[in-house]
Amino acid sequence: MEDPRRLFLHLLLAGQLCLSSTQVLRIGGIFETRESELVSMDELAFKFAVNNINRNKSLMPNTTLTYDIQRINLFDGFEASRRVCDQLALGVVAVFGPSHSSSVSAVQSICNALEVPHIQTRWKHPSVDNKDTFFINLYPEYTAIARAILDVVTFFKWRKLTVVYEDGTGLMRLQELIKAPAKFNLKIKIRQLTPGNQDARPLLKELKKDKEFFILFDCSYRMASELLKQLSSMGMMTEYYHFFFTTLDLFALDLEPFRYSGVNMTGFRLLNVDDPRVASTMDKWATERMQGPKQESGLVDGIMTTDAALMYDAVFMVAVASQRATQMTVSSLQCHRHKPWRFGPRFMNLFKEAQWDGLTGHIVLNKTDGLRRDFDLDIISLKEDGTSRVIVEGGSPLTKRWIKIAVWNSYRGMNLTEKSKRENNNNVTDSLANRTLIVTTILENPYVMQRKSDKELIGNDRFEGYCLDLLKELSNILGFTYEVRLVGDGKYGAQNDKGEWNGMVRELIDHVADLAVAPLTITYVREKVIDFSKPFMTLGISILYRKPNGTNPGVFSFLNPLSPDIWMYVLLACTGVSCVLFVIARFTPYEWYNPHQCNPSSTLIQNNFTLLNSFWFGVGALMRQGSELMPKALSTRIVGGIWWFFTLIIISSYTANLAAFLTVERMDAPIDSADDLAKQTRIEYGAVRDGSTMTFFKKSKISTYEKMWAFMSSRKNTALVKNNREGITRVLTTDYAMLMESTSIEYISQRNCNLTQIGGLIDSKGYGVGTPIGSPYRDKVTIAILQLQEEGKLHMMKEKWWRGNGCPEEDNKEASALGVENIGGIFIVLAAGLVLSVFVAIGEFIYKARKNADIEEAFCFFYGVQSRQFQRRGSTSSSGTSLSTDLESGRLLGDDTE
């Protein structure tokens, strides 16, 4: 009898050991179903997690995890309360779900009363009284999400943003961003999608009309999928728009139709797809989902959403907490008895203390409120070129579509990834590959011209010129293709009084064109509405006018080397020096001498520097011939030496300029600068209507240019022309001056020798490639232009299109023999001098003859007087000798000679 008893005891002990080694742990799940899906994604993830835990005994080696699932309708709080009571009666360690707020509140109140953990994986507004002590939420804390959104907006340096939200909870999630304008220079417009209506096209039409290019959408991934389709139908999926979606499931949407549109799209990703273990789990999930019922449209086939991943991690967190809970029993709880689970608080604390590296990163819960405050968010951007070059072996196929540009941590903030830095440093040739850009331009020689051909040309072959060559070089560097279109109204782009733009600028503003490659001037007002690359050509405004008629040198052209003022100053200097020399020679005793060298006792002294002799000395030195007069005193020699130095410089300067003035044909231009234009009204002048030159004068505050604009604006019908060709025709046929860019003047004057540039540059500016504001092409085009500049290709292209047949250079003519028309004045001066000398000689002769006649008359008179005296007195012959001697010496003596 002992053996059967002993056998029974052994069997009983073995049964107890078996029961203790295979403990069963039950969890409950309440899931809401939609009409469009048979089974919710959360329920599938719930089952998937339980099955993985049971297959992998390393986490719960002695426990089997089971579940009880209840399905309810959306927003049915009463049904949710009844079903959770049924689950608690079965005995569960935790309740998962439901997801919507009305049902969540009902379930949460029951779990709080019976002290059973209630686990949530969706965003829920926190309770005001904070009495949900048995509430766990693995969804990232909403204030941290709000800070992440603000950090992304400031990272992109947006200054203007439109926020579109789906429901009122969106405003709570965006509160940090809404308060941002008070701290940052940010303008925010807030719009709401129509509740219950998935057709957002009326709102999108308004955003497109208002040119809102930076838009933040706060909505579910289902609404985001619909929005992307509607954005595409509205023509807004272009590179000029940047859409930022706050949903954590943006990566799960099927974006294949939009990959190659160039649109900028940014979002958050909570799943750590770079972890091989996470990628393996997601691959298993995808395999099971591909075999199961078809997922809802809009998602990538087999993809795991963020909510599903959070549900998966939440189940694993229960397993981690249960592993640490020893001697814990699960009892049946009745809702109407209000008797709590005695192990509930202990299990709740174990759950909050548990940590787990899940699909959504490292999970750590706040021990106070059970919220997830420490987490990482990947900032992802839709890859620009849509290629798969960033795929790594064994990596997730998600990297084909998305690139992680940064990682945001709830405590450390944003940190750029090395991959995004490498992407930013990629070669410029990789950036625009396989893109077709619309290029607007305008016919303007030699930038864009109609190609002449006997055959009918189509497409880009219709045009040629500098800008077409520039486009070809940019295309070779950046790898894009292009379609050239002429601007509709034939204008460059200017702003009217209402603030509206026209021309190529308007087409860029309206995104009709991607680039404007033309002689489009970079100006301040244009830079405010469009973007420009670095200038590919520098220039300035100047004056185009007819080449002035040449005037041959006159017979007195030998006087031209010195201005009339200088000739007058030389004459005054010669007269002044002569007078100074005369005065000094009179003062100094060393210029006086005895004319009778043989009679030293003679008191008679003379001075050679009379006034006439002094003037003769100055003229002789000026003519480089000298004179017989030489100064003897030191003072007079100083005057003579300084005068000789003066005449040396004057004569040398005169000689140096004489040849040019005798041989060169002088141009007699009526205007020499913009100031000359402004001071007169006989010559009409103007510019191209609605061009940068016109805008320069219109906006200028310089008095001269204001006066010129007043003249042009008063004669708009005649002064302003439609294009350069019309202006050139007017310059050639009428008395008209054209204000235009110096490069165009250079090109025109090379091909029409009757036109020339008058004066220098009025301003300095440059031509640049225009792009719509915020365009991603601007920086890439700038880098390519700098590359062309360093390689010298821009200069070679300019030489190719600007070089003409040229005009004959007057300076290169061989020197010709001088004719009478050149130096005939010298002969006139010579003849005049000879004639003058004859008249002076006659005058001298007459003057001397009259003087001699007066002397003879006086001699006869005094001789008669003396003869009578002699007869009276009976003078001797000696007296007659004395009288004749006295008369010859010019003295008339009377009786005093005795």
Side-chain angles (χ1 to χ4, degrees):
M1 295 296 293
E2 293 181 0
D3 291 338
R5 290 179 180 177
R6 188 174 297 174
L7 179 62
F8 178 76
L9 291 173
H10 282 296
L11 290 174
L12 183 62
L13 181 62
Q16 291 176 349
L17 291 173
C18 182
L19 288 174
S20 63
S21 62
T22 58
Q23 181 183 3
V24 176
L25 200 65
R26 182 183 291 110
I27 56 177
I30 302 176
F31 302 105
E32 296 159 318
T33 57
R34 296 174 180 270
E35 296 179 358
S36 60
E37 57 185 8
L38 298 176
V39 183
S40 69
M41 192 78 69
D42 291 351
E43 181 180 342
L44 294 174
F46 183 79
K47 295 177 180 178
F48 181 66
V50 171
N51 293 334
N52 282 350
I53 291 173
N54 290 331
R55 280 196 296 262
N56 184 9
K57 290 297 184 179
S58 61
L59 186 59
M60 299 178 66
N62 301 321
T63 306
T64 299
L65 192 62
T66 62
Y67 55 79
D68 179 76
I69 293 178
Q70 301 290 333
R71 298 189 182 98
I72 63 173
N73 295 323
L74 287 173
F75 310 111
D76 193 344
F78 178 78
E79 183 68 14
S81 301
R82 191 171 65 86
R83 294 298 177 91
V84 73
C85 288
D86 294 341
Q87 289 183 340
L88 291 174
L90 292 175
V92 294
V93 296
V95 177
F96 291 78
S99 58
H100 287 84
S101 58
S102 59
S103 302
V104 169
S105 299
V107 173
Q108 182 62 51
S109 63
I110 295 174
C111 289
N112 286 338
L114 299 180
E115 298 183 356
V116 176
H118 180 210
I119 303 172
Q120 188 64 259
T121 58
R122 300 287 183 94
W123 184 86
K124 176 183 178 295
H125 185 268
S127 60
V128 179
D129 53 7
N130 198 22
K131 292 182 179 180
D132 295 335
T133 55
F134 286 85
F135 177 74
I136 299 290
N137 196 343
L138 267 65
Y139 195 90
E141 202 266 332
Y142 80 101
T143 58
I145 294 287
R147 286 187 281 111
I149 294 172
L150 178 59
D151 288 348
V152 171
V153 171
T154 55
F155 169 74
F156 285 116
K157 299 179 181 179
W158 291 341
R159 293 291 175 263
K160 187 178 180 183
L161 177 66
T162 299
V163 175
V164 179
Y165 67 96
E166 187 175 9
D167 52 40
T169 60
L171 294 178
M172 299 176 61
R173 288 190 292 267
L174 299 172
Q175 60 178 331
E176 291 292 329
L177 180 64
I178 295 173
K179 293 186 295 185
K183 302 177 182 178
F184 304 93
N185 185 19
L186 179 64
K187 296 180 180 179
I188 297 180
K189 291 183 179 180
I190 301 178
R191 309 292 297 272
Q192 183 180 10
L193 295 169
T194 304
N197 185 6
Q198 290 191 337
D199 186 8
R201 282 172 291 188
L203 174 61
L204 299 180
K205 185 177 180 181
E206 292 182 19
L207 297 180
K208 183 178 181 180
K209 181 181 178 181
D210 295 339
K211 297 179 177 57
E212 301 292 340
F213 299 117
F214 304 103
I215 307 175
L216 184 148
F217 291 103
D218 182 87
C219 57
S220 64
Y221 71 85
R222 295 181 180 86
M223 189 64 202
S225 178
E226 291 297 324
L227 282 173
L228 291 174
K229 297 175 184 177
Q230 296 172 23
L231 287 168
S232 179
S233 65
M234 295 289 296
M236 298 173 68
M237 297 294 283
T238 67
E239 59 274 17
Y240 305 111
Y241 288 90
H242 197 147
F243 304 129
F244 179 22
F245 289 87
T246 61
T247 174
L248 300 182
D249 289 318
L250 184 64
F251 73 97
L253 299 181
D254 184 11
L255 300 180
E256 189 66 23
F258 319 118
R259 272 176 63 196
Y260 304 99
S261 63
V263 66
N264 302 289
M265 198 179 304
T266 304
F268 293 135
R269 183 177 63 197
L270 188 61
L271 273 70
N272 186 17
V273 297
D274 296 330
D275 190 339
R277 184 178 58 83
V278 175
S280 176
T281 303
M282 296 182 68
D283 289 340
K284 292 178 183 178
W285 167 272
T287 302
E288 292 186 10
R289 295 285 68 74
M290 297 296 287
Q291 297 173 356
K294 191 178 186 309
Q295 294 181 182
E296 56 185 301
S297 60
L299 294 177
V300 177
D301 292 338
I303 196 70
M304 176 181 276
T305 63
T306 302
D307 291 337
L310 288 170
M311 181 62 70
Y312 182 91
D313 288 344
V315 175
F316 268 80
M317 285 289 287
V318 171
V320 172
S322 300
Q323 188 181 20
R324 299 177 57 195
T326 58
Q327 299 179 354
M328 183 182 69
T329 59
V330 182
S331 58
S332 175
L333 302 176
Q334 303 298 324
C335 291
H336 60 278
R337 293 183 179 178
H338 299 288
K339 183 180 179 181
W341 180 32
R342 65 190 184 94
F343 290 101
R346 177 186 172 193
F347 185 70
M348 187 66 183
N349 292 331
L350 290 175
F351 198 106
K352 291 181 178 179
E353 293 174 357
Q355 297 187 17
W356 174 250
D357 290 326
L359 301 182
T360 59
H362 186 67
I363 301 175
V364 179
L365 298 176
N366 185 277
K367 295 179 176 58
T368 303
D369 52 18
L371 299 179
R372 188 177 180 182
R373 298 183 181 274
D374 187 5
F375 58 91
D376 290 338
L377 283 178
D378 291 343
I379 312 300
I380 56 175
S381 178
L382 188 66
K383 189 161 180 57
E384 187 178 21
D385 54 6
T387 64
S388 57
R389 287 174 296 180
V390 298
I391 302 176
V392 294
E393 185 176 355
S396 170
L398 295 175
T399 54
K400 289 184 179 181
R401 299 177 178 87
W402 296 100
I403 177 174
K404 181 167 68 173
I405 61 176
V407 176
W408 186 90
N409 181 267
S410 54
Y411 291 110
R412 295 185 296 273
M414 187 176 296
N415 182 30
L416 289 179
T417 62
E418 291 298 325
K419 185 182 294 184
S420 68
K421 294 176 182 177
R422 291 196 300 270
E423 288 290 327
N424 291 335
N425 294 331
N426 276 347
N427 194 303
V428 69
T429 58
D430 299 334
S431 56
L432 288 175
N434 303 322
R435 295 279 176 85
T436 300
L437 306 182
I438 304 300
V439 179
T440 181
T441 189
I442 189 171
L443 289 176
E444 188 67 61
N445 297 341
Y447 303 97
V448 181
M449 301 178 288
Q450 294 280 4
R451 189 189 299 272
K452 297 179 181 179
S453 175
D454 298 333
K455 300 179 182 179
E456 184 179 357
L457 301 176
I458 59 175
N460 299 337
D461 295 335
R462 295 173 296 163
F463 308 105
E464 63 177 354
Y466 177 89
C467 288
L468 272 297
D469 286 357
L470 176 61
L471 257 178
K472 184 177 179 181
E473 293 293 337
L474 294 176
S475 174
N476 293 337
I477 294 175
L478 300 176
F480 65 88
T481 57
Y482 55 91
E483 179 184 346
V484 179
R485 298 178 183 176
L486 294 178
V487 61
D489 57 7
K491 296 181 179 180
Y492 288 90
Q495 196 174 19
N496 60 19
D497 297 335
K498 297 180 180 179
E500 299 173 348
W501 288 86
N502 57 20
M504 291 182 287
V505 176
R506 181 69 185 184
E507 293 192 353
L508 292 177
I509 293 174
D510 294 341
H511 294 87
V512 176
D514 301 307
L515 300 176
V517 183
L520 187 63
T521 307
I522 303 173
T523 63
Y524 167 72
V525 290
R526 287 176 178 169
E527 189 73 43
K528 292 194 295 185
V529 293
I530 63 173
D531 284 340
F532 280 100
S533 68
K534 295 293 183 183
F536 58 81
M537 185 179 294
T538 55
L539 60 146
I541 298 175
S542 192
I543 304 171
L544 178 69
Y545 193 61
R546 292 194 313 273
K547 189 172 290 186
N549 297 326
T551 56
N552 293 323
V555 292
F556 291 100
S557 58
F558 64 89
L559 296 175
N560 292 337
L562 300 180
S563 67
D565 293 341
I566 297 299
W567 282 117
M568 183 182 66
Y569 294 150
V570 170
L571 181 59
L572 291 176
C574 183
T575 304
V577 168
S578 300
C579 294
V580 170
L581 183 62
F582 170 75
V583 172
I584 292 178
R586 290 292 173 180
F587 272 100
T588 179
Y590 300 104
E591 288 295 342
W592 294 92
Y593 67 96
N594 182 7
H596 304 289
Q597 298 294 332
C598 297
N599 186 12
S601 60
S602 175
T603 59
L604 181 63
I605 56 175
Q606 290 184 349
N607 193 319
N608 289 331
F609 283 97
T610 62
L611 188 60
L612 291 178
N613 286 349
S614 298
F615 187 77
W616 176 249
F617 174 83
V619 172
L622 184 61
M623 298 301 175
R624 311 303 296 162
Q625 298 301 318
S627 66
E628 71 281 3
L629 299 174
M630 296 300 291
K632 300 176 182 178
L634 178 61
S635 56
T636 53
R637 287 181 177 180
I638 291 175
V639 175
I642 293 299
W643 176 243
W644 291 339
F645 176 77
F646 174 82
T647 56
L648 173 66
I649 301 301
I650 289 295
I651 297 302
S652 299
S653 302
Y654 174 82
T655 306
N657 290 336
L658 181 61
F661 279 88
L662 290 178
T663 58
V664 175
E665 183 178 316
R666 314 304 297 176
M667 298 297 178
D668 185 16
I671 53 174
D672 291 323
S673 63
D675 290 331
D676 294 342
L677 272 181
K679 293 175 183 177
Q680 56 83 48
T681 56
R682 182 180 61 84
I683 301 175
E684 195 172 30
Y685 53 89
V688 175
R689 184 178 287 106
D690 296 334
S692 62
T693 303
M694 186 201 80
T695 305
F696 167 79
F697 285 98
K698 185 177 181 180
K699 301 292 184 181
S700 179
K701 300 300 180 184
I702 301 175
S703 59
T704 300
Y705 305 148
E706 286 181 332
K707 186 176 180 181
M708 294 176 69
W709 170 245
F711 176 86
M712 288 186 281
S713 59
S714 64
R715 306 185 183 187
K716 283 187 176 181
N717 295 332
T718 57
L720 300 179
V721 295
K722 184 178 180 181
N723 50 46
N724 285 342
R725 291 186 297 276
E726 180 183 340
I728 294 168
T729 303
R730 288 199 59 189
V731 171
L732 290 170
T733 56
T734 62
D735 200 6
Y736 181 79
M738 178 77 173
L739 295 160
M740 61 192 306
E741 283 81 4
S742 58
T743 50
S744 299
I745 295 178
E746 180 183 353
Y747 172 80
I748 295 166
S749 58
Q750 282 285 325
R751 286 156 179 77
N752 193 324
C753 298
N754 294 324
L755 300 175
T756 187
Q757 176 177 324
I758 300 297
L761 300 182
I762 294 176
D763 70 340
S764 179
K765 53 191 175 183
Y767 289 152
V769 176
T771 63
I773 195 165
S775 171
Y777 305 142
R778 192 267 301 269
D779 293 339
K780 300 174 178 64
V781 171
T782 291
I783 295 174
I785 287 176
L786 293 177
Q787 180 178 334
L788 292 174
Q789 186 176 4
E790 291 179 358
E791 294 174 355
K793 290 186 178 180
L794 293 180
H795 177 72
M796 289 188 291
M797 286 189 291
K798 188 172 185 294
E799 286 294 316
K800 170 186 174 182
W801 291 103
W802 262 255
R803 190 189 315 115
N805 298 327
C807 298
E809 295 291 340
E810 301 295 334
D811 295 338
N812 294 336
K813 291 182 178 180
E814 294 183 0
S816 57
L818 297 178
V820 176
E821 69 277 4
N822 301 108
I823 57 175
I826 303 297
F827 295 96
I828 295 176
V829 172
L830 176 61
L834 294 176
V835 171
L836 179 61
S837 64
V838 170
F839 282 104
V840 171
I842 293 173
E844 290 177 342
F845 176 77
I846 295 173
Y847 172 76
K848 193 65 175 177
R850 287 185 177 180
K851 185 176 181 180
N852 292 337
D854 292 340
I855 292 173
E856 289 179 359
E857 183 178 351
F859 175 77
C860 293
F861 172 75
F862 286 106
Y863 183 76
V865 172
Q866 291 292 339
S867 297
R868 287 193 295 270
Q869 290 178 355
F870 179 75
Q871 291 175 359
R872 268 196 320 266
R873 299 178 182 177
S875 302
T876 62
S877 59
S878 59
S879 300
T881 303
S882 176
L883 177 61
S884 63
T885 303
D886 292 337
L887 287 174
E888 289 178 2
S889 62
R891 292 179 296 170
L892 298 178
L893 301 176
D895 298 336
D896 297 335
T897 57
E898 298 177 357

